[in-house]
Amino acid sequence: MRKLVAGNWKMNGTLASLAELDAIGAAITGAGGGSAVDVAVAVPATLIAPAAARASFGIGAEDVHSADSGAHTGCISAPMAKEAGAVFSIVGHSERRAGQGETDAEVKAKAEALLRHRMDAILCVGETLDQREAGDAEAVVTAQVRASLPDGAGGDWLAIAYEPIWAIGTGRTATVDDVAAMHAAIRRTLVELLGEEGEGVRILYGGSVTADNAAALLHAPNVDGALVGGASLTAAKFVPIIEAALPQTRAAV
Ligand code: 13P
């Protein structure tokens, strides 16, 4: 499966930061990686339009509301993000599940809004450290997948991002074996729910991905890409992660 390396700028970036997108675009074209790996970056709502106007790869939103319009102060809808130039959105990021109290049902409705508007979705799931230490990580994550998987889920528009909460922004990454085990559990759940279609849904890993650990993580079984926070903010840190996602024979050349 073709890998997807997606950035998530979170609440970072101003117009001046868009030069990084130019540098990322130039590097992936130059490396020939543009054709072998899908690249995308989710940016703050304020930057979607200017970023989409100049990026040579997909620009997305970090969140959308499940409704198309209405009395939801401060939110943006899928059609609004699309009009600004977003071709995808992240939904259900743990920082929103925790900070904004988003439930699986809301995350599911947000993903369904993206499907309605023919946008791609990256749907995040992940366990807390307490849940992992209690031995509940797999049960928690597969339950999140079951409860937040949108109707109409399919590999042509949906990716799942496994982001263990304790690995986000901490410099701690899950071991490759733990990531492979969790991705296998997610894959089994997707196949159980979607049949053959579940084989084609990309499963991304997120949580302190860097140039140093990307190759090992990205080539583990059932790891179809990465969702990268801090290291997506500069081309210098992000481009090596894209290169690490290239098919291994090419990366080794
Ligand atoms: P970091 O790569 O900064 O750990 O963030 C991961 C993440 O939350 C991406 O959505």
Side-chain angles (χ1 to χ4, degrees):
M1 197 172 341
R2 198 179 155 84
K3 294 193 193 293
L4 167 63
V5 176
N8 174 11
W9 279 13
K10 308 191 178 185
M11 198 172 72
N12 297 292
T14 61
L15 287 176
S17 320
L18 299 183
E20 298 297 335
L21 300 180
D22 301 341
I24 293 165
I28 59 183
T29 309
S35 58
V37 177
D38 288 333
V39 176
V41 177
V43 297
T46 49
L47 293 180
I48 293 172
R54 65 200 266 180
S56 57
F57 46 85
I59 294 297
E62 297 174 8
D63 178 58
V64 289
H65 199 277
S66 57
D68 289 358
S69 63
H72 303 290
T73 304
C75 300
I76 65 166
S77 67
M80 288 172 175
K82 183 174 181 172
E83 185 181 63
V87 294
F88 77 98
S89 181
I90 297 169
V91 292
H93 194 282
S94 59
E95 288 154 13
R96 294 201 59 87
R97 288 178 185 261
Q100 273 72 35
E102 286 184 12
T103 63
D104 287 328
E106 282 171 304
V107 173
K108 175 178 173 174
K110 285 167 184 248
E112 288 169 354
L114 293 169
L115 177 60
R116 263 199 320 278
H117 294 281
R118 299 187 190 285
M119 298 171 73
D120 292 348
I122 298 177
L123 191 165
C124 304
V125 293
E127 82 283 0
T128 64
L129 189 56
D130 282 355
Q131 289 165 333
R132 175 156 287 270
E133 286 178 346
D136 294 336
E138 196 172 302
V140 166
V141 168
T142 54
Q144 282 179 330
V145 171
R146 285 175 196 283
S148 51
L149 199 71
D151 290 345
D156 53 335
W157 70 279
L158 177 73
I160 304 291
Y162 168 55
E163 298 204 305
I165 294 169
W166 48 270
I168 294 177
T170 57
R172 281 185 70 176
T173 42
T175 66
V176 172
D177 285 350
D178 284 346
V179 171
M182 186 62 84
H183 282 224
I186 294 172
R187 178 70 68 208
R188 281 194 300 275
T189 306
L190 289 171
V191 169
E192 184 195 318
L193 296 171
L194 304 175
E196 206 176 310
E197 187 72 39
E199 298 282 4
V201 175
R202 289 191 283 208
I203 307 173
L204 317 181
Y205 170 77
S208 298
V209 175
T210 64
D212 293 336
N213 59 29
L217 289 163
L218 279 160
H219 296 287
N222 281 308
V223 177
D224 308 309
L227 183 57
V228 184
S232 71
L233 292 172
T234 62
K237 291 187 175 164
F238 195 48
V239 171
I241 297 173
I242 297 166
E243 287 169 346
L246 289 168
Q248 279 188 315
T249 47
R250 290 190 56 185
V253 172

